[in-house]
Amino acid sequence: MNNNPELSFENTAVAFASKSDSELRKTYFLFAMMNQPWLVGFGTAFINIALKLRLPIKGMIRNTIFKHFCGGVSIADAQKTMDLLAVYNINTILDYSAEGEESEKEFEKTTEEQLKLVDSAANSKFIPFTVMKISGISSNRLLEKHQKKETLSDSEKEAWKRVRSRFEKICKKSQELNVRLMIDAEETWIQDPIDDLVYEMMERYNQEKPLIWNTYQMYRHDMLANLKKTNQLATENGYWIGAKLVRGAYMEKERDEAEEYGYTDPIQPDKKATDTDYNAAIKFCLEHKDRIGVFAGTHNEQSSRYLASLMVEKGINCNHPNYWFGQLYGMSDHITYGLAQKGYNVAKYVPYGPIEKVMPYLFRRAEENTSVAGQSAREYLMVKEEMKRRKKA
């Protein structure tokens, strides 16, 4: 039993224990650049143009932003990253982050990659989850038509059958190999059919424990109510919920879309409302711990401490298999390593994939670090503090 809910995320020696002096200097340089929004905008535009012109810049990308935020170009290439994290009792969630594909050939390729990930997780005690996006195996247009309840053409009906078949195959193999499967949330205009698919698989495979997990973006003002409704359905039908709680990833896009098409903005009025609902969701899940497993995907120190303190209050062991913390690889190491040192289940989301296909993900990380209040500044100052500490030592 964990009797020490007080977590310190201030120890830079713990946060950067895995980084050599040279790696720390590279991290310092990277976050110093991301502290300059104009530089991020210029760099993003330059890389886009350079890749389209096939200029030889992949080596530069791989040794800078790709190396910091990604594990490698393949599962095998990411093994070194996974091994290093495991030394510090940190788990890995491999995320095949190739985005923007719209062909049946690519959907099948992504499905096969997901099945490989299930195999990898089944053979490693340090890969507790696999993760996927439904848009990786379906066109966004097809998901959008389902959301709007538009009539599908015969070819679209066949395409939807293939989407279901791909997802069922991945879920079935996850169940056979006892591997948790986490489905990422996406934009509100395609989320409803994603939820329908996930809850159908939850009812099928979560009878004994949370095996299939859905993601709840708490920057949506309706999400806490959605979580409670899901719990009611799960209780009535006798299955577990796997709840990954995040604040969210599409806020600006969502607001632009709502304004353009004239519907109610689905996003919370401000960050405080998001924070309030996020912590309320944590509390709700812990109040229904006999039905809900929790994965707190957050870079927020207060929310991490809150979950840890509630676990102690409810008498839940810090390494209970239904309770997890997670951060993105390359971000918030002070939280990840601090939790791991205290014995909590914690995992890094480690994206991987061909460099040119992972670029949309990397651009989001760079933009996020400039737009999230204090994120890049916080990382930058902690790295700077650790460099000073090492110099004195």
Side-chain angles (χ1 to χ4, degrees), residues 47-65:
I47 291 172
N48 267 325
I49 293 170
L51 288 174
K52 288 178 181 176
L53 296 176
R54 300 181 184 276
L55 298 179
I57 65 165
K58 285 187 181 179
M60 179 196 74
I61 295 171
R62 176 157 191 163
N63 288 319
T64 53
I65 188 170

Side-chain angles (χ1 to χ4, degrees), residues 100-325:
E101 307 296 347
E102 286 288 316
S103 71
E104 291 293 308
K105 179 181 178 181
E106 288 298 330
F107 298 149
E108 290 298 327
K109 181 179 178 181
T110 298
T111 301
E112 290 307 310
E113 191 69 22
Q114 285 297 146
L115 294 173
K116 290 179 185 176
L117 281 173
V118 176
D119 281 328
S120 295
N123 291 306
S124 172
K125 69 175 184 177
F126 285 103
I127 306 180
F129 293 83
T130 60
V131 63
M132 65 176 290
K133 284 187 173 183
I134 297 296
S135 63
I137 60 172
S138 170
S139 73
N140 279 18
R141 176 59 185 151
L142 188 57
L143 290 167
E144 198 169 347
K145 288 193 76 169
H146 263 280
Q147 175 114 350
K148 293 178 178 178
K149 295 180 169 42
E150 295 179 2
T151 302
L152 302 183
S153 67
D154 289 342
S155 62
E156 287 171 332
K157 289 177 182 176
E158 290 302 312
W160 186 247
K161 287 180 181 178
R162 290 192 292 272
V163 173
R164 288 185 58 88
S165 176
R166 294 177 191 123
F167 188 45
E168 288 174 351
K169 184 188 295 184
I170 295 166
C171 289
K172 188 173 187 297
K173 185 164 188 177
S174 298
Q175 190 267 340
E176 289 171 350
L177 297 183
N178 194 30
V179 172
R180 302 177 191 87
L181 173 63
M182 190 179 288
I183 291 78
D184 275 343
E186 305 196 44
E187 295 89 345
T188 54
W189 54 87
I190 60 173
Q191 187 62 47
D192 288 353
I194 292 172
D195 286 343
D196 291 342
L197 287 171
V198 175
Y199 293 138
E200 182 183 341
M201 294 299 107
M202 274 191 186
E203 186 169 1
R204 186 181 303 179
Y205 293 116
N206 286 12
Q207 295 294 322
E208 297 179 2
K209 60 184 179 181
L211 189 81
I212 309 298
W213 294 57
N214 204 14
T215 301
Y216 299 84
Q217 299 191 102
M218 304 312 299
Y219 75 164
R220 285 180 52 172
H221 56 67
D222 62 345
M223 195 50 58
L224 183 58
N226 284 357
L227 176 61
K228 293 178 179 179
K229 182 180 178 181
T230 303
N231 178 66
Q232 183 179 347
L233 289 171
T235 302
E236 291 171 357
N237 293 286
Y239 61 89
W240 279 80
I241 299 168
K244 176 190 169 189
L245 305 178
V246 301
R247 278 169 169 78
Y250 306 102
M251 184 169 67
E252 292 177 5
K253 186 192 292 188
E254 292 280 6
R255 285 189 164 148
D256 290 345
E257 192 84 1
E259 184 177 353
E260 182 177 351
Y261 292 100
Y263 59 83
T264 303
D265 187 344
I267 306 304
Q268 301 270 18
D270 51 39
K271 184 179 183 299
K272 183 179 179 181
T274 300
D275 292 342
T276 297
D277 272 12
Y278 190 94
N279 288 346
I282 289 175
K283 183 179 180 182
F284 179 81
C285 290
L286 270 290
E287 288 172 346
H288 297 82
K289 60 187 178 69
D290 295 331
R291 183 63 57 191
I292 306 177
V294 183
F295 184 102
T298 181
H299 295 177
N300 185 286
E301 297 168 12
Q302 194 275 332
S303 292
S304 298
R305 288 194 184 96
Y306 184 55
L307 175 54
S309 67
L310 284 181
M311 288 174 66
V312 172
E313 182 182 309
K314 301 288 184 182
I316 300 170
N317 198 320
C318 63
N319 63 354
H320 190 291
N322 287 351
Y323 298 89
W324 290 83
F325 300 78

Side-chain angles (χ1 to χ4, degrees), residues 70-125:
C70 297
V73 297
S74 65
I75 296 174
D77 193 28
Q79 189 62 53
K80 184 178 179 181
T81 298
M82 291 190 283
D83 290 344
L84 180 60
L85 290 171
V87 169
Y88 297 91
N89 202 33
I90 296 168
N91 297 275
T92 295
I93 301 174
L94 287 173
D95 182 9
Y96 182 58
S97 294
E99 298 183 9
E101 307 296 347
E102 286 288 316
S103 71
E104 291 293 308
K105 179 181 178 181
E106 288 298 330
F107 298 149
E108 290 298 327
K109 181 179 178 181
T110 298
T111 301
E112 290 307 310
E113 191 69 22
Q114 285 297 146
L115 294 173
K116 290 179 185 176
L117 281 173
V118 176
D119 281 328
S120 295
N123 291 306
S124 172
K125 69 175 184 177

